[in-house]
Amino acid sequence: MRKVLLGSLLAGAVVLPAMAQSNVTLFGVLDVNLESINNLAGGSPGSGRTMRETSDGLYGSRWGFKGSEDLGNGYKALFTLEGGFRVDTGANSSSDKLFGRLSFVGIENKELGTVTVGRQYTAMFDIINPYFPLTRAPQYEPYAQIESIYTDNSVKYVKTTGDLKVAVHYGLGEVAGNSSAGKNYSAGFSYTPGPFGVTLSADQTNTAASTAAATLGNTGYNRKIALASKYQWGNATFSAGHRLGRQKAASGIQSQRDTLSWAGVGYNFTPLLNGAIGYYYQDIEQSNTMTKGNPQQVGARLTYILSKRTDVYAVAAVVKNAALNFNALSTLETGATTQNAVAVGIRHLF
């Protein structure tokens, strides 16, 4: 079915009109803030808080190009090239990629859907993003523990029909002699009739062939399945979700089994002022690494819109039994099992 659909999309685009309409847009986001944070690694126990300037409070800072060309007969070619960077230092977010966020090209048809190839967001990312309490604010929301984000060397199909959106992708591992190593694939749907929405998605990423077991043809994996819902009631939007996780080493030993649940609410106080709060709980049922208990985090955001392209914000979070966003305790100062932070910043879009 997928081969037939991909063939239909590409074959229908072969006959091009003499005067195709095309456009290219330069775009970007600059997001920077001043943060006060405690228990950073490298400090002595009880050394207090650190004040620093950092990037990506609400959005990942980025720049890029995107464009499309009308091919006629309901078909359109499209592309996106997008690189990440840090506003506080000017450094690239990815040390080895010019367009480390997105780099894809594809064909879209209004009736058949969209097929894209390259480095892009996973199908799981496309489906589940609107169901996070803080709308996937990168500074203080543990979304990376819930979903997979990017996939290289991939083919993705997305189709929206009314209130139903479906997405599926397949990332080629491209490991010689091991057809499973490094592969990534996911699928999901989102259904949003009126104020209610529900989504279900699943993703699996296989480990690369970097161990003796993997080079012999065995691979481990990181598997995630997530169910989430949301409901808009007046100026408030309530959201909740639950993610199952399994990790297996290339040796065949299960290295971690966990679940991660979240719930929150966003509220529009005025047309220019909005906020949100979220709670996240990870139940680590099995792990090969030492833990101090199940991680819990509360995060909050308040945003004031200055214009269509500029807003200011305040964000804060506190976490127990982990570093912020459920990162490893080893990233904290020796002996610390909690962390909290608050930041105020500005975001500008162009």
Side-chain angles (χ1 to χ4, degrees):
M1 176 61 183
R2 282 183 292 181
K3 291 182 179 178
V4 173
L5 180 58
L6 177 59
S8 298
L9 282 166
L10 297 179
V14 170
V15 180
L16 305 180
M19 296 296 290
Q21 298 298 313
S22 63
N23 66 81
V24 177
T25 301
L26 170 67
F27 67 93
V29 178
L30 295 96
D31 187 323
V32 66
N33 60 74
L34 293 176
E35 179 186 52
S36 175
I37 186 170
N38 73 338
N39 291 342
L40 287 178
S44 59
S47 59
R49 308 189 67 84
T50 300
M51 180 69 72
R52 62 183 183 178
E53 186 176 290
T54 188
S55 194
D56 307 345
L58 298 185
Y59 271 20
S61 297
R62 68 197 73 174
W63 72 281
F65 304 92
K66 59 184 176 181
S68 63
E69 180 183 22
D70 184 2
L71 303 177
N73 300 319
Y75 288 90
K76 180 172 68 174
L78 55 88
F79 78 92
T80 296
L81 298 171
E82 182 176 300
F85 63 93
R86 297 189 59 86
V87 178
D88 53 328
T89 65
N92 288 331
S93 298
S94 175
S95 60
D96 62 341
K97 295 182 176 71
L98 175 60
F99 298 111
R101 293 181 61 92
L102 300 171
S103 175
F104 66 83
V105 63
I107 297 290
E108 176 185 314
N109 179 275
K110 294 180 180 179
E111 300 298 327
L112 297 177
T114 303
V115 172
T116 49
V117 293
R119 176 173 170 82
Q120 51 197 319
Y121 293 129
T122 66
M124 187 181 208
F125 178 100
D126 281 348
I127 292 295
I128 202 174
N129 255 4
Y131 293 83
F132 292 138
L134 303 186
T135 322
R136 197 182 168 276
Q139 194 147 330
Y140 303 138
E141 187 158 46
Y143 61 87
Q145 307 295 338
I146 299 172
E147 62 178 352
S148 64
I149 303 174
Y150 297 108
T151 176
D152 286 340
N153 313 308
S154 64
V155 181
K156 183 168 69 173
Y157 170 70
V158 180
K159 177 72 166 71
T160 301
T161 304
D163 299 324
L164 178 66
K165 178 180 180 179
V166 296
V168 60
H169 92 266
Y170 183 79
L172 303 174
E174 300 188 355
V175 176
N178 191 327
S179 60
S180 297
K183 284 186 176 179
N184 169 259
Y185 38 90
S186 67
F189 77 89
S190 176
Y191 183 58
T192 54
F196 175 75
V198 63
T199 181
L200 176 66
S201 58
D203 178 275
Q204 178 168 313
T205 300
N206 294 343
T207 54
S210 57
T211 66
T215 55
L216 291 174
N218 302 320
T219 58
Y221 62 75
N222 186 350
R223 183 179 296 162
K224 300 176 181 179
I225 302 174
L227 174 67
S229 63
K230 63 179 180 177
Y231 183 76
Q232 185 174 349
W233 184 34
N235 290 336
T237 300
F238 300 89
S239 59
H242 186 71
R243 190 270 292 153
L244 303 175
R246 299 289 185 273
Q247 295 181 34
K248 187 187 78 170
S251 62
I253 298 175
Q254 182 168 265
S255 56
Q256 180 165 305
R257 182 176 70 249
D258 75 309
T259 63
L260 200 157
S261 302
W262 69 95
V265 58
Y267 193 83
N268 294 320
F269 299 99
T270 72
L272 301 179
L273 180 66
N274 63 81
I277 187 169
Y279 171 74
Y280 314 84
Y281 177 80
Q282 186 179 18
D283 183 4
I284 302 176
E285 302 169 11
Q286 175 188 333
S287 177
N288 289 346
T289 60
M290 294 296 294
T291 62
K292 298 291 185 179
N294 293 328
Q296 303 178 59
Q297 180 168 316
V298 175
R301 170 191 60 79
L302 189 65
T303 304
Y304 185 76
I305 301 171
L306 298 177
S307 70
K308 291 182 178 180
R309 297 191 299 164
T310 305
D311 45 39
V312 292
Y313 61 86
V315 288
V318 58
V319 65
K320 179 181 179 181
N321 298 324
L324 283 170
N325 296 334
F326 295 164
N327 287 319
L329 287 171
S330 59
T331 63
L332 299 180
E333 68 180 18
T334 303
T337 59
T338 66
Q339 191 171 39
N340 64 77
V342 60
V344 291
I346 183 171
R347 176 182 59 176
H348 178 74
L349 288 70
F350 65 87

